[in-house]
Amino acid sequence: MNNKASILSAPPNPVTFYVQAGSHVGLGHLFRSAAVIRGLAEKGISARVRLDADTLGQEEAAALGLGGDSFFHSGPGPVVIDAVSIPDAAATWLADFSLRILISPVCDRADLATHALVREAPEKLRGDLPDQSELVTDLAFGFITARGLRAQPRDYASLTLGICLSGGDDRFDLNGLLGELSWVRGLDEIRLLDRRIPEVLPDYGPKLMHTQSTRRPWVFLGPANVFLGGEGVMLAEAVAQGIPAFSLSATSDGGKNTALVDTGSVKLIPRAPFEPASLISMLSDRRSLEEMHKSALHNVGVNSGESLVGRIVDLLSAGDYPK
């Protein structure tokens, strides 16, 4: 089946996706929804997308073959919600759908959901969900974008560090971070994926490879044996390949990535206050990195990439809404 064609050629009542993407919210929601849409298409279920995005989000969606509708479809019917902050007008429109499946653990309108399917449910999401809604948490849901990636053994005689803090515009001090990383023992190379252009001195220690964007991030980041990211989908993608991952996190408890942290393959580095000595120490500890690598290899068993799609299909099959 031609997945792109089935995504864009909608039957009378396809599944609607409400997706946010762009320089502020990042691109993780878009990539996750695109992976779900491809999975549904493989099962003969088509989708249409209501895209809430700036220019960056629109460009990335177009590259993925997801042409966002310029008009609102109304319910009844199923809608999948993958967003951060939903405007009131969109919330009113979404409320008309009879089946509202939330797949973003950081959405500010969890009260809209009839079902929430997330890899982790932060306290705020749990508090906002209606009493009658269904909450399903499953670490495997977080691996939906990792379909096609494969784990492989890695050694740690030297380090190649992959960095992608966000697909959008991250405000963390990039140049300050790079300066601190020069102190990491045995760090030979940094592969940086960031929309900003870094400023480093000509005699900067590690070899620095940089790209501002790529449609295939893990082709560029593939040689890395350790990964430093934000809090988005690429943490799970690193773990799926057996790569120890460090998350520059706004929370101290793991937030939406608690389940990944609990596997032992992901560690948190608080953004504020940022303590570079802690990150340098962790990256310089080869024994710890090897243990994280083993944990990641052990946990790729959940990386079927099918769990989230399968659960959505079950809800679509059981739904009492008009199809």
Side-chain angles (χ1 to χ4, degrees):
M1 177 182 292
N2 185 318
N3 292 343
K4 184 173 180 180
S6 50
I7 289 172
L8 298 180
S9 302
N13 291 298
V15 180
T16 300
F17 277 70
Y18 175 76
V19 186
Q20 288 184 331
S23 55
H24 178 64
V25 301
L27 302 174
H29 302 278
L30 177 64
F31 294 152
R32 176 169 48 218
S33 285
V36 173
I37 290 170
R38 286 194 296 270
L40 293 176
E42 291 168 3
K43 298 179 182 299
I45 301 172
S46 60
R48 59 191 173 200
V49 177
R50 179 63 170 103
L51 189 63
D52 182 352
D54 61 12
T55 300
L56 172 65
Q58 292 169 357
E59 290 175 350
E60 291 295 330
L64 291 168
L66 299 179
D69 288 341
S70 59
F71 55 91
F72 286 104
H73 303 275
S74 60
V79 63
V80 176
I81 303 169
D82 202 346
V84 178
S85 181
I86 301 178
D88 289 343
T92 299
W93 164 71
L94 288 166
D96 283 340
F97 289 85
S98 54
L99 181 66
R100 302 180 294 276
I101 305 170
L102 177 65
I103 61 174
S104 167
V106 293
C107 182
D108 68 346
R109 292 302 306 268
D111 59 293
L112 291 168
T114 59
H115 300 76
L117 310 178
V118 290
R119 64 186 184 274
E120 182 66 40
E123 184 177 347
K124 184 180 186 308
L125 182 140
R126 290 179 181 271
D128 290 347
L129 283 173
D131 292 339
Q132 68 273 22
S133 65
E134 179 191 30
L135 170 62
V136 179
T137 59
D138 188 337
L139 177 58
F141 291 163
F143 289 87
I144 180 64
T145 65
R147 296 176 73 194
L149 299 177
R150 294 290 180 267
Q152 58 182 332
R154 298 167 193 268
D155 67 71
Y156 291 89
S158 64
L159 295 184
T160 296
L161 175 63
I163 302 177
C164 181
L165 302 184
S166 174
D169 294 330
D170 196 288
R171 297 183 180 180
F172 194 82
D173 179 8
L174 177 63
N175 294 312
L177 174 64
L178 291 174
E180 297 292 349
L181 289 173
S182 66
W183 293 98
V184 175
R185 177 172 57 87
L187 178 57
D188 288 349
E189 182 176 334
I190 295 174
R191 289 185 166 248
L192 172 66
L193 173 55
D194 199 287
R195 282 161 50 80
R196 298 166 289 182
I197 298 176
E199 298 175 4
V200 296
L201 297 174
D203 60 349
Y204 185 69
K207 178 182 179 182
L208 178 62
M209 306 286 288
H210 171 246
T211 184
Q212 289 181 287
S213 65
T214 175
R215 307 295 183 204
R216 302 178 66 190
W218 288 107
V219 172
F220 174 73
L221 297 170
N225 57 4
V226 64
F227 176 73
L228 175 62
E231 296 177 285
V233 299
M234 292 190 70
L235 290 177
E237 293 175 2
V239 172
Q241 297 171 90
I243 303 174
F246 293 84
S247 169
L248 277 172
S249 176
T251 66
S252 60
D253 61 356
K256 62 182 181 180
N257 290 309
T258 300
L260 275 175
V261 173
D262 288 347
T263 68
S265 51
V266 174
K267 291 185 178 181
L268 302 180
I269 303 295
R271 283 179 175 249
F274 175 58
E275 298 179 356
S278 178
L279 176 60
I280 293 167
S281 176
M282 289 182 180
L283 290 174
S284 298
D285 187 343
R286 296 297 194 273
R287 179 173 297 179
S288 177
L289 291 178
E290 289 172 354
E291 290 302 315
M292 292 176 70
H293 172 54
K294 291 177 183 177
S295 296
L297 290 176
H298 175 74
N299 283 288
V300 296
V302 300
N303 182 26
S304 66
E306 301 294 335
S307 298
L308 182 56
V309 171
R311 187 72 184 189
I312 291 174
V313 170
D314 288 344
L315 291 176
L316 296 178
S317 301
D320 56 1
Y321 55 88
K323 298 181 177 66

